[in-house]
Structures are given as C-alpha cells and as structure tokens.
Amino acid sequence: MFLRRLADIHGKEMNMADSSNTGYAYPTPGRLFWHRLRTHWKETIAVIRSVADWTVLLYMLIPGALLGGRLYYGLWKEPLPQWSSHMIFGVIPVFLLLWLSAGKIFLMIREADVLFIHQRVRWLRGLMLRGGIYSMIATALKAGAGFLLVLPFMVRRYGISLDAAGCWLLFTVTAGSLMVWLKHFTRLRAHGWRRWLLYLPMVVFPAAAYVVLSVWWIDSPSWLAAASALLAVINVLLLLVRMRTRGTFMNDIQEELVQRTKLTGLVLSSAMDKPRKIRSRPWIFRRSQRLFRSSTPVHRLAGACSKAYVRQTKQLTGYAQVMSLSAAILLTLPPGVKILVYAALHLLLAYWLYLNTAAFMKEGFVTMLPWADEVKLSAMMKAVRMLLAPYALVTSGLLLFSMLPVWAAAAALIPLALAAVWITVTLLQLMMLRKI
C-alpha cells in the first residue's frame, strides 16, 4: 500500500520511456531537474515565510540593504577601519574559506527514485550532471559575494591590482568547488569517527594549502591563473567520477534529505528545545565547588544559578554568538557611535541573562525552599554580574585597544570592565517593573 501510494505521487515526475514520448510531464532528465530545482526553492521560500511575513522581511531587508550599501561605499571612499591596519592578508582567505565551508553538493535525487530511475543510468547521470554543475555555480556565486566584501581591503589596504584580485577570485572559486567535492565524497564513503578521520586529508589539508598558496601567489597572477585552470580540470574530472560512481544510492538519498531539511531544522530548533541529556556528573563544575566564599543564602543561590547557566550547551552557544557578533560590531563602527553601542550591547545581554536567571528561579527544586523575594532578586543580580563579566572584559578590550594606545588600553581594561558590569546591572535593577 505504501509503495503504491509512493508510486502514484512520484509517477507524475518520471518518464521511463524514450524522450519521444510526449505523454509524460517530464520526458527528459533536464526537465525533471528544473522541476525539482523549482520545487526546492519553493520549499525554501515557504520555510522562510513561515518565520516572517513578506511585509516584515521588507521592513528588515530594505533598511538593511541601504545601510549595507552605505557602509560598503564608505569602505571605498572613506578611511578604512582602524583595525584593518593590524590585519594580515592571510585573514582574507581564511574568511572566504569559512564562508564557503558550508557549501554542499545537490544532486536532486529523491527517495522514490529507487522505484523508478535507480536502474536508469542515463536519467541518474543526467540528474547528477546538472546537480553537480548547479552546486559549482552556487559555490562560485557565494565566493563572488564574499570577494566583493573583501575587495576594498585588498585594493586599498594591500595595494593588490584588480587583475591579481580577479585571478585570485578564480583560484578561490575552483578551490572552493574542489573542497566541496572532496567533502561530498568523504560523507558518502565514511560515517562516524572514520568520516572525521578522513576529513583531515580530504578537507583540512586542501584548505590549509589554499590559504598558504593564496598568501604566496597573491602578487603572481600567472601562477593563480595556472592553478585555477588545473583545479577546474580536477573539478570536471571529479564530476565525471561522481556520475560513474555506483553503490552509493542510499547514501545519496540520505545526504539529499539532510540538505533539504537543514533550513527547516534550523527554524524548528529556535522554536523547540532538544531533550537535554541526563548525565550522572556534569562536564563543568564537576565537583560542585562553591563560586563564592560566603555561604549566605544569596551567595549560595547565585552560585547555583550561575552553574546551572554554564552547564547548558545551548546557553553557552548563545553567549558565544552574542560575543562574536558584538566583537564584529565594535570593530566596524566609528569611535563616536562605538561607545553608545558598547553600552547598549551590555544592557541587552544583561537583560537576556536576567530572563535566564528568572527562569531558573521558577524551577521546581528552587521553589521547594522558602526563599524570600529579596533573596531571589539579590541572587539574580549577583549571578548576572558574574555571567556578564567575561563579556564585559572582551568587549572592553576591543573598545579600548581600537581607540587608545596599547599602554593606556591595558591600564584601563580592568577598571572599565568592572564599571561596565556594575553600572549595567544597577541600571537593569532600576528599570525592572516587578520583582520575582
């Protein structure tokens, strides 16, 4: 019954006869590929629309595009950010490498193909050929977008000619496609720890070679052009090898399913939490040591709240993401705006930490004890101060070292971080409308 229903659904796409048969909706592999590509983009747009309506997206995209365009214009016509003077050229290929690391190969193969075209070599190779070409074009477009972002730094900071930059772009595109193919073959042939072991020669070494050769040959366009031609030939050969590879159909289906549902999983991950693993002993603070010398109820409750926060992987990941985004913002803004944004970021993070500590106070094992409201509130503020301190130390260092001499920034780092923590938590406590 299941196979019959699957065949009825999938039979609308397939044509198991010759292309001269016009009684089928998709008589050739090419038309079937374009149908599946349109379906893929429709599914992607539907997932995005499930998160935000087009009106909301326009309110976000239009101001974002205008602001981004103005900032990009400033990179060409205005002085470059001060932090770029301390940046070596190797950072640029590393940035593009990370930017391209999420690339994947889409072969546009579906689960029901095992019933219809698994034995049709011409159809299967036709889908793989078009899917491989589409994936390499997508990698090239992604590399081009990242290249445009770093091009002002290459021309104005390092004095690289446009010819050399263009040859380096070709080298980046072909190297990125090669690494995507190598990662694809690795994921098909190995699983578990064997896959991670194969990543070293198949992914890590080529990536390191790309960075090193980019630094060596950036002033030699002829070498970059020759390497790009060689890598292009290798990419074509890998595409031909992939079309002739047999015995990996089920792995292909699994990989395609992972790629198709990645965006949906990302959206759902923000809406619902994964079940937490139950461990006999936590990884952090395994001995349950005290965080404060004092043993008053406020200090004991604040210590428990802080340890509960850092023991959750999701909370630590969010904390690291906020810190990374804040670092990028503080490094790119002009000095006058940077100070205001520095204060606003501390207040936002403190409020987020306050919400997490408030949720901790509502846990069952906390409410079992008769804590006074004043004790809870004092413990929450103390926990927020402790959790905010690492963030304040990092952002204060980025602010000071980007605006002051090294000796002055080092002298003012600790006092500024302590003042930022104390002032932020005090303002948060004054702005609260209710107590726990």
Side-chain angles (χ1 to χ4, degrees), residues 308-347:
Y309 180 87
V310 299
R311 284 170 176 170
Q312 298 184 37
T313 305
K314 182 180 179 181
Q315 303 295 350
L316 287 181
T317 302
Y319 193 96
Q321 291 174 349
V322 171
M323 185 178 293
S324 302
L325 182 60
S326 301
I329 293 174
L330 291 175
L331 289 175
T332 54
L333 290 177
V337 183
K338 189 179 298 186
I339 298 175
L340 297 177
V341 174
Y342 169 82
L345 289 174
H346 277 77
L347 193 58

Coordinates of all heavy atoms in Angstrom, one line a residue, residues 308-347:
A308 N 24.2 26.5 36.9 CA 23.1 26.0 36.0 C 23.2 26.6 34.6 O 22.9 25.9 33.6 CB 21.8 26.2 36.7
Y309 N 23.5 27.8 34.5 CA 23.6 28.5 33.2 C 24.8 28.0 32.4 O 24.6 27.6 31.2 CB 23.8 30.0 33.4 CG 23.9 30.8 32.1 CD1 22.7 31.2 31.5 CD2 25.1 31.1 31.5 CE1 22.8 31.9 30.3 CE2 25.2 31.8 30.3 CZ 24.0 32.2 29.7 OH 24.1 32.9 28.6
V310 N 25.9 27.9 32.9 CA 27.1 27.5 32.1 C 27.1 26.0 31.8 O 27.8 25.5 31.0 CB 28.4 27.9 32.8 CG1 28.5 29.4 33.0 CG2 28.5 27.1 34.2
R311 N 26.3 25.2 32.5 CA 26.2 23.8 32.3 C 25.3 23.4 31.1 O 25.2 22.3 30.7 CB 25.7 23.0 33.5 CG 26.8 22.9 34.6 CD 26.2 22.4 35.9 NE 27.2 22.1 36.9 CZ 27.0 21.9 38.2 NH1 25.7 21.8 38.6 NH2 28.0 21.7 39.0
Q312 N 24.6 24.4 30.5 CA 23.7 24.2 29.4 C 24.4 24.6 28.1 O 24.8 25.8 28.0 CB 22.4 25.0 29.6 CG 21.6 24.6 30.8 CD 20.3 25.4 30.9 OE1 19.7 25.6 29.9 NE2 19.9 25.8 32.1
T313 N 24.5 23.7 27.2 CA 25.3 23.9 26.0 C 24.6 25.0 25.1 O 25.2 25.8 24.5 CB 25.4 22.6 25.2 OG1 26.0 21.6 26.0 CG2 26.2 22.8 23.9
K314 N 23.3 25.0 25.1 CA 22.5 26.0 24.3 C 22.8 27.4 24.8 O 23.0 28.3 24.0 CB 21.0 25.7 24.3 CG 20.2 26.6 23.5 CD 18.7 26.3 23.6 CE 17.9 27.2 22.7 NZ 16.5 26.9 22.8
Q315 N 22.8 27.6 26.1 CA 23.0 28.9 26.7 C 24.5 29.4 26.4 O 24.7 30.5 26.0 CB 22.8 28.9 28.2 CG 21.4 28.4 28.6 CD 20.3 29.3 28.2 OE1 20.6 30.4 27.7 NE2 19.1 28.9 28.3
L316 N 25.4 28.5 26.5 CA 26.8 28.9 26.2 C 27.0 29.2 24.7 O 27.7 30.1 24.4 CB 27.8 27.7 26.6 CG 28.0 27.6 28.1 CD1 29.0 26.4 28.4 CD2 28.5 28.8 28.8
T317 N 26.3 28.4 23.9 CA 26.4 28.7 22.4 C 25.8 30.1 22.1 O 26.4 30.9 21.4 CB 25.7 27.6 21.6 OG1 26.2 26.4 21.9 CG2 25.8 27.9 20.1
G318 N 24.7 30.4 22.7 CA 24.1 31.7 22.5 C 25.0 32.8 23.0 O 25.1 33.9 22.4
Y319 N 25.6 32.6 24.2 CA 26.5 33.6 24.8 C 27.7 33.8 23.8 O 28.1 35.0 23.6 CB 27.0 33.1 26.1 CG 27.7 34.1 27.0 CD1 27.0 34.8 28.0 CD2 29.1 34.3 26.8 CE1 27.7 35.7 28.8 CE2 29.8 35.2 27.6 CZ 29.0 35.9 28.6 OH 29.7 36.8 29.4
A320 N 28.3 32.8 23.3 CA 29.4 32.9 22.4 C 29.0 33.6 21.1 O 29.7 34.4 20.5 CB 30.0 31.5 22.1
Q321 N 27.8 33.3 20.6 CA 27.3 34.0 19.4 C 27.1 35.5 19.6 O 27.5 36.3 18.8 CB 26.0 33.4 18.9 CG 26.2 32.0 18.4 CD 24.8 31.3 18.1 OE1 23.8 31.8 18.4 NE2 24.9 30.2 17.4
V322 N 26.5 35.9 20.8 CA 26.4 37.3 21.1 C 27.7 38.0 21.2 O 27.9 39.1 20.7 CB 25.6 37.4 22.4 CG1 25.5 38.9 22.9 CG2 24.1 37.0 22.2
M323 N 28.7 37.3 21.8 CA 30.0 37.9 22.0 C 30.7 38.1 20.6 O 31.3 39.1 20.3 CB 30.9 37.0 22.9 CG 32.3 37.6 23.2 SD 33.2 36.6 24.3 CE 32.3 36.7 25.8
S324 N 30.6 37.1 19.7 CA 31.2 37.2 18.4 C 30.5 38.3 17.6 O 31.2 39.1 16.9 CB 31.0 35.9 17.6 OG 31.6 34.8 18.4
L325 N 29.2 38.4 17.6 CA 28.5 39.5 16.9 C 28.9 40.9 17.5 O 29.1 41.8 16.7 CB 27.0 39.2 17.0 CG 26.1 40.2 16.2 CD1 26.4 40.2 14.7 CD2 24.6 39.9 16.4
S326 N 29.0 41.0 18.8 CA 29.3 42.2 19.4 C 30.7 42.6 19.0 O 31.0 43.8 18.8 CB 29.2 42.1 20.9 OG 27.9 41.8 21.3
A327 N 31.6 41.7 18.9 CA 33.0 42.0 18.5 C 33.1 42.5 17.1 O 33.8 43.5 16.8 CB 33.9 40.7 18.7
A328 N 32.3 41.9 16.2 CA 32.2 42.3 14.8 C 31.7 43.8 14.7 O 32.2 44.6 14.0 CB 31.4 41.4 14.0
I329 N 30.7 44.0 15.5 CA 30.0 45.4 15.5 C 31.0 46.4 16.0 O 31.2 47.5 15.4 CB 28.7 45.4 16.3 CG1 27.7 44.5 15.6 CG2 28.2 46.8 16.5 CD1 26.4 44.3 16.4
L330 N 31.6 46.1 17.2 CA 32.5 47.1 17.8 C 33.8 47.4 16.9 O 34.4 48.5 17.0 CB 33.0 46.6 19.1 CG 31.8 46.6 20.2 CD1 32.4 46.0 21.5 CD2 31.3 48.0 20.5
L331 N 34.2 46.4 16.1 CA 35.4 46.6 15.3 C 35.1 47.4 14.0 O 36.0 47.9 13.4 CB 36.0 45.3 14.9 CG 36.7 44.5 16.0 CD1 37.1 43.1 15.6 CD2 37.9 45.3 16.6
T332 N 33.8 47.5 13.6 CA 33.5 48.1 12.3 C 32.9 49.5 12.5 O 32.9 50.3 11.5 CB 32.5 47.3 11.5 OG1 31.4 47.0 12.4 CG2 33.2 46.0 11.1
L333 N 32.4 49.9 13.7 CA 31.7 51.2 13.8 C 32.7 52.3 14.1 O 33.8 52.0 14.6 CB 30.7 51.1 15.0 CG 29.5 50.2 14.8 CD1 28.7 50.2 16.1 CD2 28.7 50.7 13.7
P334 N 32.4 53.5 13.7 CA 33.2 54.7 14.1 C 33.3 54.9 15.6 O 32.4 54.5 16.3 CB 32.6 55.8 13.3 CG 31.2 55.4 13.1 CD 31.2 53.9 12.9
P335 N 34.3 55.6 16.1 CA 34.5 55.8 17.5 C 33.3 56.4 18.2 O 33.0 56.0 19.3 CB 35.8 56.6 17.6 CG 36.5 56.4 16.4 CD 35.4 56.2 15.3
G336 N 32.7 57.4 17.7 CA 31.6 58.1 18.4 C 30.4 57.2 18.6 O 29.9 57.2 19.7
V337 N 30.0 56.4 17.6 CA 28.9 55.5 17.7 C 29.3 54.3 18.5 O 28.4 53.7 19.2 CB 28.4 55.1 16.3 CG1 27.2 54.2 16.4 CG2 28.1 56.4 15.5
K338 N 30.6 53.9 18.5 CA 31.0 52.7 19.1 C 30.8 52.7 20.6 O 30.4 51.7 21.2 CB 32.5 52.5 18.9 CG 33.1 51.2 19.3 CD 34.6 51.1 18.9 CE 34.8 51.2 17.5 NZ 36.2 51.0 17.1
I339 N 30.9 53.8 21.3 CA 30.7 53.9 22.8 C 29.3 53.7 23.1 O 28.9 53.0 24.1 CB 31.2 55.3 23.3 CG1 32.7 55.4 23.0 CG2 31.0 55.4 24.8 CD1 33.3 56.7 23.4
L340 N 28.4 54.3 22.3 CA 26.9 54.1 22.6 C 26.5 52.7 22.4 O 25.7 52.1 23.2 CB 26.1 55.1 21.7 CG 26.3 56.6 21.9 CD1 25.5 57.4 20.9 CD2 26.0 57.0 23.4
V341 N 27.0 52.1 21.3 CA 26.6 50.7 21.0 C 27.2 49.8 22.1 O 26.6 48.8 22.5 CB 27.1 50.3 19.6 CG1 26.9 48.8 19.3 CG2 26.4 51.2 18.6
Y342 N 28.4 50.1 22.6 CA 29.0 49.3 23.6 C 28.1 49.3 24.9 O 27.9 48.2 25.5 CB 30.4 50.0 24.0 CG 31.1 49.5 25.2 CD1 31.8 48.3 25.2 CD2 31.0 50.2 26.4 CE1 32.4 47.8 26.4 CE2 31.6 49.8 27.6 CZ 32.3 48.6 27.5 OH 32.9 48.1 28.7
A343 N 27.6 50.4 25.3 CA 26.7 50.5 26.4 C 25.4 49.7 26.2 O 24.9 49.0 27.0 CB 26.4 51.9 26.8
A344 N 24.8 49.9 25.0 CA 23.6 49.2 24.6 C 23.7 47.7 24.6 O 22.8 47.0 25.0 CB 23.0 49.8 23.3
L345 N 24.8 47.2 24.1 CA 25.0 45.8 24.0 C 25.1 45.2 25.4 O 24.6 44.1 25.6 CB 26.3 45.5 23.2 CG 26.2 45.7 21.7 CD1 27.6 45.5 21.1 CD2 25.2 44.8 21.0
H346 N 25.8 45.9 26.3 CA 25.8 45.4 27.7 C 24.5 45.3 28.3 O 24.1 44.3 29.0 CB 26.8 46.3 28.5 CG 28.2 45.9 28.3 ND1 28.9 46.3 27.2 CD2 29.1 45.3 29.1 CE1 30.2 45.9 27.4 NE2 30.3 45.2 28.5
L347 N 23.7 46.3 28.1 CA 22.3 46.3 28.7 C 21.4 45.2 28.1 O 20.7 44.5 28.8 CB 21.7 47.7 28.4 CG 20.4 48.0 29.2 CD1 20.7 47.9 30.7 CD2 19.9 49.4 28.9

